[in-house]
Amino acid sequence: MGSTRVALLGTGGTIASASGADGQLVARRSVAELLDGCDIPAGVSVEPAVDLERINSWDMDPRRMWLLAARIEEALTDPEVAGIVITHGTDTMEETAFAVDLATATDKPIVFASAMRSADSTSPDGPRNLSNAVAAAASPKLRGLGVLVNTSDELHAARWIRKVHTHHVNAFSSPAFGPVATFDPAGGLRLVHHRIARWAPTWPLDPDVQVAAMTPYTGFAPDLMRTVIEHTGARGLVLEGFGLGNLPGGLASVVGELTERGVLVVIASRVMAGGTFPVYGGDGGGAGLASAGALFAGELSAAKARLLLMRCLSGTSTKTARTRLLDALDVLAGGC
């Protein structure tokens, strides 16, 4: 019996980083070098292994994310490839993973791997994370569960995972739902969620759609929202609100202005768990924002809501995009 093939695409990040003469970390190592330090599971081969980029993930942008999704789809058209691993930096990994989830339709496992410690650290976490990611990508148990992120012996859904610490090794969590699967001490996979509802858009992606995101703060000047839209020409705006999805007083009227002009406005929460609910009245309360035309992101972070809105606005009118977004939020809210 032949081995199970897994593809590997590298983008850089801390997992590929090492210190230079100045002591500063830079993504230097190829995926081939990273594989040399890994325990690849028996019966699994990694082929092809390709470096797409070698960058820090703060330099990722939506266009790069959509291009990565296209390369993943291309790699997985090979019937001999059972799944794929992507190495990535931790700063924006949750966003890239979610973007890929929105732009791919395969049921083969797509697994992101990263590290909080550099490759030349005295105790790097990258080798174990990459080994686990390869095992996960080869596993038929994970087919149909969407894009997953491997970290600290856990697999998390792209839509749920958040970076919750700047430097600890266990820096990731899915605050509302927990991991999709875990690795046991013997290396076996134990599923926690056996099904995850997936939203799979069928329309072409427009990489040039502009959507802005802002984090209103106490005392936030309403004109800042108008300025951002005028400066960027954005067709959508995501606002990271307080609590259940509330904003400082005075912003509801601007939300109404923008929606009247055809800008889709989505309210997310800066709180990591619980979701958004338009229940509060008064100026800036969620109920008033809903009356002004805003939609609510549910459990999605502002960053992920922005990517979802970009996907919904691709190649269509605001009215149709609004319908798409409502459908997507309904499916994504279904969770498992």
Side-chain angles (χ1 to χ4, degrees):
M1 181 182 293
S3 64
T4 301
R5 275 179 56 198
V6 169
L8 173 60
L9 298 178
T11 69
T14 300
I15 192 171
S17 292
S19 300
D22 58 4
Q24 297 180 3
L25 292 174
V26 176
R28 306 173 189 275
R29 301 202 175 169
S30 67
V31 288
E33 291 175 291
L34 298 182
L35 284 171
D36 282 343
C38 288
D39 294 322
I40 302 303
V44 178
S45 64
V46 182
E47 181 189 356
V50 178
D51 288 288
L52 297 182
E53 300 195 83
R54 213 171 292 172
I55 62 173
N56 296 106
S57 71
W58 59 74
D59 279 330
M60 289 296 287
D61 56 40
R63 180 173 288 276
R64 278 187 162 114
M65 295 174 190
W66 306 134
L67 288 173
L68 174 61
R71 289 295 299 268
I72 291 168
E73 285 268 78
E74 179 184 357
L76 291 180
T77 58
D78 185 339
E80 298 299 317
V81 174
I84 191 166
V85 173
I86 302 92
T87 58
H88 198 285
T90 61
D91 280 357
T92 61
M93 180 170 61
E94 64 198 70
E95 293 173 54
T96 302
F98 185 63
V100 170
D101 204 31
L102 296 177
T104 53
T106 181
D107 68 346
K108 294 181 180 181
I110 300 172
V111 185
F112 278 70
S114 64
M116 292 300 295
R117 295 172 178 162
S118 63
D120 62 348
S121 166
T122 55
S123 55
D125 54 323
R128 184 178 181 90
N129 285 343
L130 183 53
S131 298
N132 282 349
V134 170
S139 174
K141 291 182 180 181
L142 299 177
R143 292 181 70 101
L145 293 179
V147 177
L148 300 171
V149 177
N150 175 81
T151 176
S152 300
D153 288 348
E154 295 179 341
L155 289 159
H156 292 257
R159 80 176 67 161
W160 298 333
I161 193 167
R162 300 288 295 274
K163 188 172 182 179
V164 298
H165 201 282
T166 61
H167 60 274
H168 282 179
V169 174
N170 57 338
F172 287 90
S173 176
S174 294
F177 297 95
V180 172
T182 61
F183 285 90
D184 62 35
L189 265 176
R190 299 190 177 193
L191 288 182
V192 179
H193 297 288
H194 292 263
R195 177 183 176 275
I196 299 177
R198 293 197 69 190
W199 180 72
T202 56
W203 54 87
L205 179 92
D206 179 358
D208 296 317
V209 171
Q210 292 295 314
V211 173
M214 304 180 74
T215 301
Y217 43 81
T218 55
F220 188 85
D223 277 342
L224 289 174
M225 289 165 55
R226 299 186 182 97
T227 300
V228 165
I229 297 301
E230 289 165 6
H231 179 72
T232 63
R235 296 181 57 205
L237 175 64
V238 177
L239 298 170
E240 187 178 54
F242 309 125
L244 293 172
N246 308 302
L247 298 176
L251 298 192
S253 60
V254 184
V255 169
E257 287 176 29
L258 295 178
T259 56
E260 284 289 324
R261 288 163 48 185
V263 177
L264 267 175
V265 179
V266 177
I267 312 296
S269 176
R270 63 181 183 177
V271 184
M272 286 194 179
T276 52
F277 296 90
V279 298
Y280 281 97
D283 190 7
L289 296 170
S291 296
L295 299 177
F296 289 77
E299 295 277 358
L300 292 180
S301 67
K304 292 177 185 177
R306 174 175 174 256
L307 292 164
L308 177 61
L309 187 48
M310 294 173 73
R311 193 70 182 90
C312 290
L313 282 164
S314 289
T316 194
S317 65
T318 299
K319 181 178 179 181
T320 300
R322 185 182 180 90
T323 300
R324 289 174 173 177
L325 182 60
L326 287 168
D327 175 64
L329 291 171
D330 183 57
V331 173
L332 295 175
C336 307

